[in-house]
Amino acid sequence: MSEPTIESLRKEVDAINLQLLELLNKRAALASQIGKLQTSQGMTLYDPQREADMLTALQMANQGPFSNATISALFKEIFKASLALEEKEARAKIVVQRKTPDQNTVIELPRGVKIGDGSFQIIAGACAVESFDQMDAVGEVLASEGVQIMRGMAYKPRSSPYDFQGMGEEGLKIARKVADKYNMVVVSEIMDASQIPMFQDYVDIFWVGARNMQNSFLLKALGKIRQPVILKRHFAATLKELLYSAEYIASGGNARIILMERGIRTFNEEVRNTLDIGAVPLLKMESHLPVIVDISHSAGRRDLANAFGRIAKASGADGLMVEVHPNPPVAMSDAKQQLFFDQFRALMAEIKTVTRPEKAY
Amino acid sequence: MSEPTIESLRKEVDAINLQLLELLNKRAALASQIGKLQTSQGMTLYDPQREADMLTALQMANQGPFSNATISALFKEIFKASLALEEKEARAKIVVQRKTPDQNTVIELPRGVKIGDGSFQIIAGACAVESFDQMDAVGEVLASEGVQIMRGMAYKPRSSPYDFQGMGEEGLKIARKVADKYNMVVVSEIMDASQIPMFQDYVDIFWVGARNMQNSFLLKALGKIRQPVILKRHFAATLKELLYSAEYIASGGNARIILMERGIRTFNEEVRNTLDIGAVPLLKMESHLPVIVDISHSAGRRDLANAFGRIAKASGADGLMVEVHPNPPVAMSDAKQQLFFDQFRALMAEIKTVTRPEKAY
Amino acid sequence: MSEPTIESLRKEVDAINLQLLELLNKRAALASQIGKLQTSQGMTLYDPQREADMLTALQMANQGPFSNATISALFKEIFKASLALEEKEARAKIVVQRKTPDQNTVIELPRGVKIGDGSFQIIAGACAVESFDQMDAVGEVLASEGVQIMRGMAYKPRSSPYDFQGMGEEGLKIARKVADKYNMVVVSEIMDASQIPMFQDYVDIFWVGARNMQNSFLLKALGKIRQPVILKRHFAATLKELLYSAEYIASGGNARIILMERGIRTFNEEVRNTLDIGAVPLLKMESHLPVIVDISHSAGRRDLANAFGRIAKASGADGLMVEVHPNPPVAMSDAKQQLFFDQFRALMAEIKTVTRPEKAY
Amino acid sequence: MSEPTIESLRKEVDAINLQLLELLNKRAALASQIGKLQTSQGMTLYDPQREADMLTALQMANQGPFSNATISALFKEIFKASLALEEKEARAKIVVQRKTPDQNTVIELPRGVKIGDGSFQIIAGACAVESFDQMDAVGEVLASEGVQIMRGMAYKPRSSPYDFQGMGEEGLKIARKVADKYNMVVVSEIMDASQIPMFQDYVDIFWVGARNMQNSFLLKALGKIRQPVILKRHFAATLKELLYSAEYIASGGNARIILMERGIRTFNEEVRNTLDIGAVPLLKMESHLPVIVDISHSAGRRDLANAFGRIAKASGADGLMVEVHPNPPVAMSDAKQQLFFDQFRALMAEIKTVTRPEKAY
Ligand SMILES: [Mn+2]
Ligand SMILES: [Mn+2]
Ligand SMILES: [Mn+2]
Ligand SMILES: [Mn+2]
């Protein structure tokens, strides 16, 4: 009898492949049936003890050449695939996940302002509300440049309890007044679920800061309001974590969420955070939500504004956020990064030189 | 006339040094006087506009060879030093900062339990309360090993809203019951300031998780309670940020805080987080608060428990935190890192082989 | 006599400021004289023992209110500023440092190819030379798209000694042949100084890989050749480290260097490295050298090519580097990131939609 | 006919599991046979085109419920497992990989010095050789404390070309002389393969610095020498990369390698690098090579020496490396981290208080 050749052995492998295929699908169909029964009986789909029992049985039956470790690893993959299938309908419930290539959430705001409609929106204003005069000066410049969305930050999350913590409700009142004067919508950072009713009197967009990105109590509460939410990525959060945080809000009923990339903490020395511009196309691939880029807290310095503005627009983002102040060196927070008025006007001119792509990736 | 030598020029420099010294101290004394007047008039000490004016005057007067940039930089240092002096008394108010080499906060708990008294405390228990039986099984093993502080986690902060979120108040009741049965104190993670009154009915130590480390609303609220607080470092927080978060609690009136190092997010692949053991001596240098090491969430795997236990004790920490479960593979959270009972007993034996130093640094 | 007011005290401070200014400049002039004498006598400018002695003298003379620590800190700043002044001429020797706003190195290559002249150059080709046919297929597509600079990598630095290490000199011959056929210049990675003479027979541009970015022996040797050098940033190098590595080459006599940003190692999960696009404007601010962006090894995946191409061009970079392969899934290295020919053509069309700014920052 | 129950469906799944098991092992046996034929014919085991063909066939045959993507993913796992089996004998060639729990490489050096024999070795000395007197002063202190292995660094890899680059061969002569005088062995950093013959005249242990950790030319050359090699982890290298670099040396014939953990680059501010102490047990699990801890370049500051010394010993490392200098503030490199003689003596006393475990994990 002749020796087997590579060719002949490969034919045998091909045949086994098809048998494995059939069995895997048969198994999947059974698992799906079990899943439906479990769901109807209110049981969770994932049953680690059942999996442990199956693995034990397989290891006892295993005669090699695959080791028990390899068999366990392979079957764990099969279990996982089956579970994934069972969860498919469940998964359809992941609200923030992109379902089709051209699904894009458009956030509609008062005064006809939109985010995510293909335009490149500018959100601008001082780091913090410091006085009416300061806000009024900023508002005038913003309005003259056609900005529609104004920062009106009245509660400042600060690392130190001894730093300026914001003007509080008084600041919200100023922000609202200035926004109305210049026909803009206003966004403000909320720190705690207990502030929601008060904020609803003043602001058009709620802002969740990096430090609260995984505050599930606050996120769940924001799932119950009617205003849109800007969700700022924590400087050490993965994109998956950011999307799950958005899901905390969306699964509660409020899917009007804007994701914000703002730089991540790395070993770099020249910048406050490292702008992770790749996050824009990646978030767009994964989710239908609008994505904007914070070019102030990423760079942490004024002289990168033009470059970061161009980059943000070229990346396919739906807009950018930038801090502007009448006299940045004496600002009560983020003095190094807020733009002088002239710099802000230069930025607005600069970003006009770059085309926003229709598709981010 | 002869050429100046390096030697002769250096003598001239020495003389100028002494004149600079005198002027700097004279200036400091004046600044201190101004600071006192400002404080008495309720003004803030830091006045950026005044600094800007002084710099402008200096730059106009400057004739070189130092450039205006250099002069600005040097005077900013002088301003900073003066401000630091003015703030010295203010700084004395930084409650968590170490004032003397042998200042060490000792946290006294019910049932005579202490943290920070030179002993090496073990905080142990399941990642989450899952049932009375599960907690009872854990409690029995802990008690048999002399553990005095039990985890009783009933609210689980999870990345995904679809993951197990904890048993809630029911879980707290179970934790309290088991702790009482085995004569232990119980610690539990609080998620929101609104939970404080309910938690006070059940727990001996409040736990602030990584995701809430910079939730200033929660921190301020915990400054008003009578129970001690374990403050867990966020996986991307600097030590300075951790200490400032502690200060949010302490400045409110509750200085009974235990700092917890728990690993930081890096590029490492084998572990969940990278244990930053250097944080222990560094925190001890900077603060008088007790420091403990979470050897479970840092490693994220069972097989490092013995090594991390030894390392934690040798580092000078005041204790460690470890997760233990009757059947880790089927745990509802952190299944890969919770210890089997046998492993926990081995850990307890292992750490006895290492001496805890009297001084961490 | 009346109490001093804040106003009157501030006037006294102003007067002292001016006296300090005068003394600081007097001191600087003396230090500068000393520096010239030292330089003429071949002594190094920085003399830590002299500084230590001065600090000791000052501390002994100090009577407060500034503490000795503060006085030391302030005088260290003064020493540093003086040293900086002394080193100013020395610093003029930092070859790669930008001296004027419009200084821009233009690299001229054979066949009239230029990098840094305001154009946006494309460097493209397979990750590694695998065969003549493979390179010929790539070359044809590159030429049809107007690419002038081809990758011709014959030595592959790999993490594992058991991975494909490149075709060696045979690969260089193929690269040269294909480049000549399609009228392109060729770039290839050099691994060791001993390869220089051999490389000079085949390649137009030398490439220093990330793993050799701080191999000072190789860098110094490349300072002696006539060909330009692409210097790839190590994935964990700061910009300062990259510029110093360039200076190792430039200070040897070869200032024809192209800097390459290629992504940094962070906690991100979706990409091979995190594209640090901020490095482009920052490097441009600091240096007159051309900067290009590696959009393949940063992303590590094909589907980000268009976005990263747009971003690179908008950032003000002088070009990009991208990997292209006739059949990426079977490539011998970097199979996940090399572009199919169609994708490469789409990329070339995409980057035409973005304007390159004249100035990066 | 009755409805199927969860129980009855699970029985069907169990039966399919066993059929899958049988087919998987049958397939593995065939793949193994193919692998042997391929090896005998000099073909590589991994054939991506063959895999692509099989996946295409399976996708065409697939009728669900598993999607083509799921089927591809599952079969890729099966391919990978088969390949792993085929490579098992190949894998036996990974020299540095631990094969049995009690396999531990012991490095034997001249004068009876050993590393890896269960003792805790101290490698100490100045950052750089600066003069005979300096080295002699250090040598005397080391000898009086029983140190057997001395640093004798004559070539300094520096970020800037203008920093002190070491004394060169003259420095090696001094190091050898002092080592002989005090009956110690000497280790020195090699920068380039061309230096090997010269180094062999002077040093007992070769040291590969972080910047050369992935210089495969140098690593391969060190595989041919008879002296042991200390391989320092790059500050951004994964443990896998470090082990593969060791394999470059070991696979060339020199398996006398000592791995060195030295801190990784993170966002931490207080230290030069973040000591990754978890690397010690993890490297010990994966490899039989000795592991030592650099407590100087990790901390970058003197005041952590005692803590890091204790931690290193408790971690199960085979020793530590520490820098000592007669007058650290005026050292020509690493002035902030080198220990004063008194501090070094305190360190030696401190580490005696900690027990080294027999097993690191
Ligand atoms: Mn801000
Ligand atoms: Mn847990
Ligand atoms: Mn490549
Ligand atoms: Mn050193």
Side-chain angles (χ1 to χ4, degrees):
Chain A
M1 204 185 106
S2 70
E3 286 283 296
T5 62
I6 291 180
E7 202 53 28
S8 69
L9 292 166
R10 282 186 165 176
K11 285 220 174 96
E12 290 188 61
V13 168
D14 289 343
I16 291 181
N17 282 349
L18 292 176
Q19 294 175 54
L20 282 167
L21 175 68
E22 199 189 325
L23 281 170
L24 286 170
N25 274 321
K26 213 162 137 189
R27 195 187 180 290
L30 286 166
S32 171
Q33 261 188 287
I34 294 171
K36 273 169 205 142
L37 286 174
Q38 286 174 317
T39 305
S40 72
Q41 296 172 22
M43 296 161 66
T44 59
L45 296 174
Y46 176 51
D47 181 346
Q49 190 57 56
R50 162 75 178 150
E51 292 197 356
D53 292 346
M54 288 192 287
L55 288 181
T56 305
L58 284 160
Q59 289 175 354
M60 283 171 58
N62 182 36
Q63 308 206 354
F66 274 142
S67 68
N68 275 351
T70 302
I71 288 298
S72 291
L74 285 174
F75 272 89
K76 271 185 199 158
E77 291 300 318
I78 295 170
F79 298 164
K80 226 163 58 181
S82 297
L83 186 65
L85 191 68
E86 294 172 49
E87 290 181 337
K88 205 176 175 177
E89 291 108 40
R91 263 214 328 272
K93 85 180 164 197
I94 299 218
V95 185
V96 302
Q97 191 125 24
R98 173 177 292 288
K99 305 293 185 303
T100 64
D102 49 2
Q103 181 192 16
N104 287 304
T105 290
V106 179
I107 311 280
E108 310 210 357
L109 291 155
R111 310 185 201 264
V113 180
K114 290 181 188 174
I115 301 179
D117 65 340
S119 65
F120 189 70
Q121 274 292 0
I122 309 298
I123 302 171
C127 178
V129 178
E130 297 172 6
S131 71
F132 176 81
D133 289 351
Q134 169 237 21
M135 288 297 284
D136 190 48
V138 172
E140 190 181 358
V141 172
L142 299 186
S144 76
E145 290 289 331
V147 173
Q148 298 177 301
I149 311 176
M150 189 184 76
R151 285 176 65 97
M153 303 313 209
Y155 294 85
K156 301 299 305 169
R158 304 301 293 274
S159 295
S160 162
Y162 305 123
D163 282 342
F164 175 58
Q165 309 272 317
M167 288 183 70
E169 188 169 0
E170 193 54 39
L172 290 180
K173 283 179 187 164
I174 292 173
R176 181 73 268 162
K177 203 167 159 188
V178 174
D180 287 344
K181 176 172 175 187
Y182 294 106
N183 196 32
M184 292 187 281
V185 298
V186 69
V187 57
S188 197
E189 176 164 359
I190 185 160
M191 307 274 288
D192 193 77
S194 62
Q195 298 176 314
I196 290 180
M198 189 244 293
F199 265 62
Q200 286 181 315
D201 291 342
Y202 304 109
V203 313
D204 303 299
I205 310 175
F206 283 61
W207 172 297
V208 176
R211 293 172 178 82
N212 273 318
M213 193 201 87
Q214 292 198 313
N215 179 341
S216 55
F217 260 67
L218 177 57
L219 299 176
K220 283 175 185 169
L222 294 174
K224 302 299 175 202
I225 67 170
R226 65 179 191 282
Q227 287 89 352
V229 178
I230 290 180
L231 180 63
K232 191 170 175 181
R233 181 184 185 187
H234 185 274
F235 55 66
T238 63
L239 300 183
K240 206 172 162 187
E241 287 166 347
L242 174 62
L243 288 170
Y244 270 134
S245 287
E247 187 70 10
Y248 265 100
I249 305 172
S251 63
N254 182 5
R256 299 173 74 214
I257 303 162
I258 299 136
L259 304 173
M260 181 181 279
E261 157 58 26
R262 47 60 55 86
I264 58 174
R265 187 165 272 186
T266 71
F267 59 82
N268 269 324
E269 300 168 327
E270 291 82 5
V271 283
R272 182 167 172 180
N273 293 290
T274 296
L275 177 63
D276 178 15
I277 196 65
V280 177
L282 287 164
L283 288 171
K284 287 283 191 176
M285 271 182 216
E286 290 298 316
S287 173
H288 50 80
L289 297 176
V291 179
I292 57 179
V293 177
D294 177 345
I295 68 168
S296 290
H297 296 84
S298 46
R301 45 191 282 179
R302 278 183 275 284
D303 55 2
L304 289 176
N306 284 2
F308 279 24
R310 289 194 311 269
I311 289 163
K313 195 163 176 193
S315 77
D318 298 285
L320 62 75
M321 201 297 300
V322 63
E323 291 186 346
V324 190
H325 193 279
N327 191 1
V330 303
M332 299 188 75
S333 53
D334 289 346
K336 286 181 190 168
Q337 78 197 28
Q338 302 199 56
L339 299 193
F340 286 91
F341 287 164
D342 281 355
Q343 290 176 319
F344 175 66
R345 290 189 196 98
L347 168 69
M348 293 299 285
E350 184 84 15
I351 59 180
K352 289 203 178 76
T353 67
V354 178
T355 318
R356 183 180 181 277
E358 273 187 49
K359 209 162 169 305
Y361 52 96
Chain B
M1 203 187 105
S2 71
E3 285 284 296
T5 61
I6 292 180
E7 202 52 30
S8 70
L9 292 166
R10 282 186 165 175
K11 285 216 173 100
E12 290 188 61
V13 168
D14 288 343
I16 292 180
N17 283 349
L18 293 176
Q19 294 174 55
L20 283 168
L21 174 67
E22 197 188 326
L23 281 171
L24 287 169
N25 275 322
K26 213 161 137 190
R27 195 188 181 290
L30 286 166
S32 171
Q33 260 187 287
I34 294 171
K36 272 168 205 142
L37 285 174
Q38 285 173 319
T39 304
S40 71
Q41 298 172 21
M43 296 161 66
T44 58
L45 296 174
Y46 175 52
D47 182 346
Q49 191 58 55
R50 161 76 178 150
E51 291 198 356
D53 293 345
M54 287 192 287
L55 288 181
T56 305
L58 285 161
Q59 289 175 354
M60 282 171 59
N62 182 36
Q63 309 205 353
F66 274 142
S67 69
N68 275 349
T70 302
I71 288 299
S72 291
L74 285 175
F75 273 88
K76 273 185 198 157
E77 290 301 319
I78 295 171
F79 298 164
K80 229 164 58 183
S82 297
L83 187 65
L85 191 68
E86 295 171 48
E87 290 181 337
K88 206 176 177 179
E89 291 108 39
R91 262 215 328 272
K93 84 181 165 196
I94 298 218
V95 186
V96 304
Q97 193 125 23
R98 172 176 294 287
K99 304 292 185 300
T100 62
D102 49 1
Q103 180 192 18
N104 287 304
T105 289
V106 179
I107 312 279
E108 308 210 359
L109 291 155
R111 309 184 199 266
V113 181
K114 290 181 189 174
I115 301 178
D117 65 339
S119 65
F120 190 70
Q121 272 293 1
I122 308 299
I123 301 171
C127 177
V129 178
E130 297 172 7
S131 71
F132 177 82
D133 289 351
Q134 169 237 21
M135 288 297 284
D136 189 48
V138 172
E140 190 181 357
V141 172
L142 299 186
S144 76
E145 289 289 332
V147 173
Q148 298 177 302
I149 311 175
M150 189 183 75
R151 284 175 67 95
M153 302 315 208
Y155 295 86
K156 299 298 305 168
R158 305 300 293 271
S159 294
S160 163
Y162 305 124
D163 282 343
F164 174 60
Q165 309 272 319
M167 288 184 71
E169 188 168 0
E170 192 53 37
L172 290 180
K173 284 181 187 163
I174 292 173
R176 179 75 268 160
K177 202 166 160 189
V178 173
D180 287 344
K181 176 171 174 188
Y182 295 106
N183 196 32
M184 292 186 280
V185 299
V186 69
V187 57
S188 197
E189 176 164 359
I190 184 159
M191 307 273 288
D192 193 77
S194 62
Q195 298 176 316
I196 290 179
M198 189 244 292
F199 265 62
Q200 287 181 315
D201 290 343
Y202 303 111
V203 316
D204 303 298
I205 310 175
F206 283 60
W207 172 297
V208 175
R211 292 171 179 82
N212 273 318
M213 193 202 88
Q214 292 198 312
N215 180 342
S216 54
F217 260 66
L218 177 57
L219 298 176
K220 284 175 185 170
L222 294 174
K224 303 298 175 202
I225 67 169
R226 63 178 193 283
Q227 288 88 351
V229 178
I230 290 180
L231 180 62
K232 191 171 174 179
R233 182 185 185 185
H234 185 275
F235 55 66
T238 62
L239 299 183
K240 205 172 162 187
E241 288 167 348
L242 175 61
L243 288 170
Y244 270 133
S245 287
E247 187 72 9
Y248 266 101
I249 306 172
S251 63
N254 182 4
R256 299 173 72 213
I257 304 162
I258 300 135
L259 304 172
M260 181 182 278
E261 157 58 27
R262 49 58 56 86
I264 59 174
R265 186 165 273 186
T266 71
F267 60 83
N268 269 326
E269 300 168 328
E270 291 81 4
V271 282
R272 183 170 173 179
N273 292 290
T274 296
L275 177 63
D276 178 15
I277 196 65
V280 176
L282 286 165
L283 288 171
K284 287 284 191 176
M285 271 181 217
E286 289 299 316
S287 173
H288 50 81
L289 297 176
V291 179
I292 57 179
V293 177
D294 176 345
I295 67 168
S296 289
H297 296 84
S298 46
R301 44 192 282 182
R302 280 184 272 284
D303 55 2
L304 288 176
N306 284 2
F308 279 24
R310 290 194 311 268
I311 289 164
K313 195 164 176 191
S315 77
D318 298 284
L320 63 77
M321 200 299 300
V322 63
E323 290 186 347
V324 190
H325 193 279
N327 190 3
V330 303
M332 299 188 75
S333 54
D334 290 345
K336 286 180 189 168
Q337 78 197 26
Q338 301 199 57
L339 299 193
F340 287 90
F341 288 164
D342 280 356
Q343 291 175 316
F344 175 67
R345 289 189 197 99
L347 168 68
M348 293 298 285
E350 185 83 16
I351 57 181
K352 290 203 178 78
T353 67
V354 178
T355 316
R356 184 181 180 277
E358 273 187 51
K359 210 162 168 305
Y361 53 95
Chain C
M1 203 186 104
S2 72
E3 283 285 296
T5 62
I6 290 180
E7 202 53 28
S8 69
L9 291 166
R10 280 187 167 176
K11 284 221 173 93
E12 289 189 61
V13 167
D14 289 342
I16 291 181
N17 282 350
L18 292 176
Q19 295 174 55
L20 282 167
L21 174 67
E22 198 189 324
L23 280 171
L24 286 169
N25 275 321
K26 213 162 137 189
R27 195 188 180 290
L30 286 166
S32 171
Q33 260 186 285
I34 294 171
K36 273 170 205 141
L37 285 173
Q38 286 173 319
T39 305
S40 71
Q41 298 172 21
M43 295 162 65
T44 57
L45 296 174
Y46 176 52
D47 182 346
Q49 191 57 55
R50 161 77 178 149
E51 292 197 356
D53 293 345
M54 288 192 287
L55 289 181
T56 306
L58 284 160
Q59 289 175 354
M60 284 170 59
N62 182 37
Q63 309 205 354
F66 274 142
S67 69
N68 276 350
T70 301
I71 287 298
S72 292
L74 285 175
F75 273 88
K76 271 184 198 159
E77 290 300 319
I78 295 171
F79 299 164
K80 226 163 60 181
S82 298
L83 186 65
L85 191 68
E86 295 172 48
E87 289 181 338
K88 206 176 178 179
E89 291 108 38
R91 262 214 326 271
K93 84 179 166 200
I94 299 218
V95 185
V96 303
Q97 192 126 21
R98 173 177 292 288
K99 305 294 184 303
T100 64
D102 49 2
Q103 181 192 17
N104 286 304
T105 290
V106 179
I107 311 279
E108 308 209 358
L109 291 155
R111 310 184 199 266
V113 180
K114 290 180 188 174
I115 302 178
D117 64 340
S119 64
F120 189 69
Q121 274 293 0
I122 308 299
I123 302 171
C127 178
V129 178
E130 296 173 7
S131 71
F132 176 82
D133 289 351
Q134 170 238 20
M135 288 296 284
D136 190 49
V138 172
E140 191 181 358
V141 172
L142 299 186
S144 76
E145 289 289 331
V147 172
Q148 298 178 301
I149 311 176
M150 189 185 75
R151 285 175 64 98
M153 304 314 210
Y155 294 85
K156 300 299 305 168
R158 304 301 293 275
S159 294
S160 162
Y162 305 123
D163 281 342
F164 174 58
Q165 309 272 318
M167 288 184 71
E169 189 169 358
E170 192 54 38
L172 290 181
K173 283 180 187 163
I174 291 172
R176 180 74 268 163
K177 202 167 159 188
V178 173
D180 287 344
K181 177 171 173 188
Y182 294 107
N183 196 33
M184 292 187 279
V185 299
V186 69
V187 56
S188 196
E189 176 165 358
I190 185 160
M191 307 274 288
D192 193 77
S194 62
Q195 297 176 315
I196 291 180
M198 190 244 292
F199 265 62
Q200 286 181 316
D201 290 343
Y202 303 110
V203 314
D204 302 300
I205 309 175
F206 283 60
W207 172 298
V208 176
R211 291 172 179 83
N212 273 317
M213 193 202 86
Q214 292 197 313
N215 179 342
S216 55
F217 261 66
L218 177 58
L219 298 176
K220 283 174 185 170
L222 294 173
K224 302 301 176 201
I225 67 170
R226 64 181 191 282
Q227 287 88 353
V229 178
I230 290 179
L231 181 63
K232 191 172 175 179
R233 182 185 185 185
H234 186 275
F235 55 65
T238 63
L239 300 183
K240 206 172 162 188
E241 288 166 348
L242 175 61
L243 288 171
Y244 271 134
S245 287
E247 187 70 9
Y248 265 101
I249 305 173
S251 63
N254 182 5
R256 299 173 73 213
I257 304 161
I258 299 135
L259 303 173
M260 180 181 277
E261 157 57 27
R262 48 59 56 87
I264 58 174
R265 187 165 273 185
T266 71
F267 59 82
N268 269 325
E269 300 167 328
E270 292 81 4
V271 283
R272 183 167 171 181
N273 292 290
T274 297
L275 177 63
D276 178 14
I277 196 65
V280 176
L282 287 164
L283 288 171
K284 288 282 191 178
M285 270 182 217
E286 289 300 315
S287 173
H288 51 81
L289 297 176
V291 179
I292 57 180
V293 176
D294 177 345
I295 68 168
S296 289
H297 295 85
S298 45
R301 45 191 282 180
R302 277 183 274 283
D303 56 2
L304 288 176
N306 284 2
F308 279 24
R310 288 194 312 269
I311 289 163
K313 195 165 175 190
S315 77
D318 298 284
L320 64 74
M321 202 296 301
V322 63
E323 290 187 347
V324 189
H325 192 281
N327 191 2
V330 301
M332 299 187 75
S333 52
D334 289 346
K336 285 180 190 168
Q337 78 197 28
Q338 302 201 54
L339 299 192
F340 286 92
F341 288 163
D342 280 356
Q343 292 175 316
F344 176 66
R345 289 190 197 98
L347 168 67
M348 292 299 285
E350 185 84 16
I351 58 181
K352 289 203 179 75
T353 66
V354 178
T355 317
R356 184 180 180 277
E358 273 185 51
K359 210 162 168 306
Y361 53 96
Chain D
M1 202 185 107
S2 71
E3 284 285 296
T5 61
I6 290 179
E7 202 53 29
S8 70
L9 291 166
R10 283 187 165 175
K11 284 218 173 99
E12 291 188 61
V13 168
D14 289 343
I16 291 181
N17 282 349
L18 292 176
Q19 295 175 55
L20 282 168
L21 175 68
E22 197 188 325
L23 280 170
L24 286 169
N25 275 323
K26 213 162 137 189
R27 196 189 179 290
L30 285 166
S32 170
Q33 261 187 286
I34 294 171
K36 272 169 206 145
L37 285 174
Q38 285 174 318
T39 304
S40 72
Q41 298 172 23
M43 296 161 66
T44 58
L45 297 173
Y46 176 51
D47 181 347
Q49 191 58 56
R50 162 76 178 151
E51 291 196 356
D53 293 346
M54 288 192 287
L55 289 181
T56 305
L58 285 161
Q59 289 176 354
M60 283 171 58
N62 183 36
Q63 309 205 353
F66 274 141
S67 69
N68 276 350
T70 303
I71 288 298
S72 291
L74 285 175
F75 273 88
K76 271 185 198 157
E77 290 300 320
I78 295 171
F79 298 164
K80 227 165 57 183
S82 297
L83 186 65
L85 191 68
E86 296 171 47
E87 290 181 337
K88 204 175 177 178
E89 291 108 40
R91 262 215 328 272
K93 83 180 165 197
I94 299 217
V95 186
V96 303
Q97 192 125 23
R98 172 176 294 288
K99 305 293 185 300
T100 62
D102 49 2
Q103 182 193 14
N104 286 305
T105 290
V106 179
I107 312 280
E108 309 210 356
L109 291 155
R111 310 184 199 266
V113 181
K114 289 180 188 173
I115 302 178
D117 64 339
S119 64
F120 189 69
Q121 273 292 1
I122 308 300
I123 302 173
C127 178
V129 177
E130 296 172 6
S131 70
F132 176 81
D133 289 351
Q134 169 236 23
M135 288 296 285
D136 189 49
V138 172
E140 190 181 357
V141 172
L142 300 186
S144 75
E145 288 290 330
V147 174
Q148 298 177 302
I149 310 176
M150 188 184 75
R151 282 176 68 96
M153 303 314 208
Y155 294 86
K156 299 300 305 170
R158 305 300 293 273
S159 294
S160 162
Y162 305 124
D163 282 343
F164 175 58
Q165 308 272 319
M167 288 184 72
E169 189 169 358
E170 192 53 39
L172 290 180
K173 283 181 187 162
I174 292 173
R176 179 75 269 161
K177 202 166 158 187
V178 173
D180 287 343
K181 176 171 174 187
Y182 294 107
N183 197 31
M184 291 188 279
V185 298
V186 69
V187 57
S188 197
E189 177 165 356
I190 185 159
M191 307 274 288
D192 192 77
S194 62
Q195 297 176 315
I196 291 180
M198 189 244 292
F199 265 63
Q200 286 181 315
D201 290 344
Y202 304 110
V203 314
D204 303 299
I205 309 175
F206 282 61
W207 172 297
V208 176
R211 291 172 180 83
N212 274 317
M213 192 202 87
Q214 292 197 313
N215 179 342
S216 55
F217 260 67
L218 177 57
L219 298 176
K220 284 175 186 170
L222 294 173
K224 302 300 174 201
I225 67 170
R226 62 179 193 283
Q227 287 88 352
V229 178
I230 290 180
L231 180 63
K232 191 171 173 178
R233 182 185 184 186
H234 185 274
F235 55 66
T238 62
L239 299 183
K240 206 173 163 186
E241 288 167 347
L242 175 62
L243 288 170
Y244 270 134
S245 287
E247 188 70 10
Y248 266 100
I249 306 173
S251 64
N254 182 4
R256 299 172 72 212
I257 303 162
I258 299 136
L259 304 172
M260 181 181 278
E261 157 59 26
R262 48 61 55 87
I264 59 175
R265 187 165 272 186
T266 72
F267 59 82
N268 269 325
E269 300 169 326
E270 291 81 4
V271 282
R272 182 169 172 177
N273 294 289
T274 296
L275 177 63
D276 178 15
I277 197 64
V280 176
L282 287 164
L283 288 171
K284 287 283 192 178
M285 270 182 216
E286 289 300 316
S287 173
H288 49 81
L289 297 177
V291 179
I292 57 180
V293 177
D294 177 346
I295 67 167
S296 290
H297 296 85
S298 46
R301 45 192 281 181
R302 279 183 274 283
D303 55 3
L304 289 175
N306 284 2
F308 279 24
R310 289 195 311 267
I311 289 164
K313 195 165 176 190
S315 77
D318 298 284
L320 63 76
M321 202 296 301
V322 64
E323 291 186 347
V324 189
H325 192 280
N327 190 3
V330 302
M332 299 188 74
S333 54
D334 290 345
K336 287 181 188 166
Q337 78 198 26
Q338 301 199 56
L339 299 193
F340 287 91
F341 287 164
D342 280 356
Q343 290 175 317
F344 175 67
R345 288 190 198 99
L347 168 67
M348 293 298 286
E350 185 82 16
I351 58 180
K352 290 204 178 75
T353 67
V354 178
T355 317
R356 184 181 180 276
E358 273 186 50
K359 211 160 167 307
Y361 53 94

